[in-house]
């Protein structure tokens, strides 16, 4: 789903985009794939506090990988998994999901 949404955005900007999975630390995966920047979204101050701790630890382990924080837009700032799950579990609209293909994938995954 991430590749489907972000690859065209990256292509339009003339940037490379790679989507991968991993089973270790994010900073370790970033190093393995040659990334030098990790972009982390922030909804509020509590996210910033938590992410700053992670960024500090990541910098200790991998000084060549930098963390960039991007604030969430007002429209999606209040959306959390905690708020989305109850809606999904009760068959309600996919809160915060804007791409029809993503909504369809989620509907299929949680149809059981």
């Amino acid at each position: 789903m991430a590749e489907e949404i972000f690859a065209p955005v990256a292509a339009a900007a003339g940037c490379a985009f790679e989507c991968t999975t991993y089973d270790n630390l994010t900073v370790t995966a970033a190093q393995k794939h040659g990334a030098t920047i990790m972009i982390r979204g922030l909804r509020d101050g509590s996210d910033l506090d938590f992410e700053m701790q992670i960024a500090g630890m990541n910098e200790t382990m991998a000084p060549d990988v930098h963390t960039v924080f991007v604030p969430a837009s007002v429209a999606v700032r209040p959306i959390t998994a905690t708020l989305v799950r109850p809606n999904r579990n009760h068959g309600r609209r996919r809160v915060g999901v804007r791409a029809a293909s993503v909504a369809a994938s989620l509907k299929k995954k949680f149809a059981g």
Side-chain angles (χ1 to χ4, degrees):
M1 289 183 283
E3 191 166 324
E4 181 179 337
I5 300 300
F6 295 115
V9 174
C15 298
F17 177 80
E18 180 182 342
C19 187
T20 186
T21 59
Y22 56 93
D23 61 358
N24 52 7
L25 296 174
T26 302
V27 72
T28 304
Q31 283 182 304
K32 178 181 175 187
H33 290 279
T36 57
I37 297 174
M38 291 191 301
I39 300 172
R40 306 289 292 188
L42 302 174
R43 292 172 300 191
D44 57 26
S46 61
D47 279 356
L48 176 61
D49 291 342
F50 178 71
E51 292 291 344
M52 286 294 290
Q53 292 175 30
I54 294 172
M57 184 57 68
N58 288 345
E59 185 177 348
T60 300
M61 293 185 291
D64 56 322
V65 179
H66 305 281
T67 302
V68 175
F69 298 119
V70 178
S73 68
V74 174
V76 298
R77 197 169 293 149
I79 299 170
T80 67
T82 304
L83 297 175
V84 172
R85 275 187 214 103
N87 285 296
R88 179 200 73 211
N89 293 339
H90 296 293
R92 294 192 183 126
R93 181 179 163 271
R94 302 288 183 246
V95 177
V97 176
R98 296 177 183 242
S101 61
V102 172
S105 293
L106 291 173
K107 184 177 182 178
K108 181 179 177 182
K109 177 177 179 161
F110 296 110

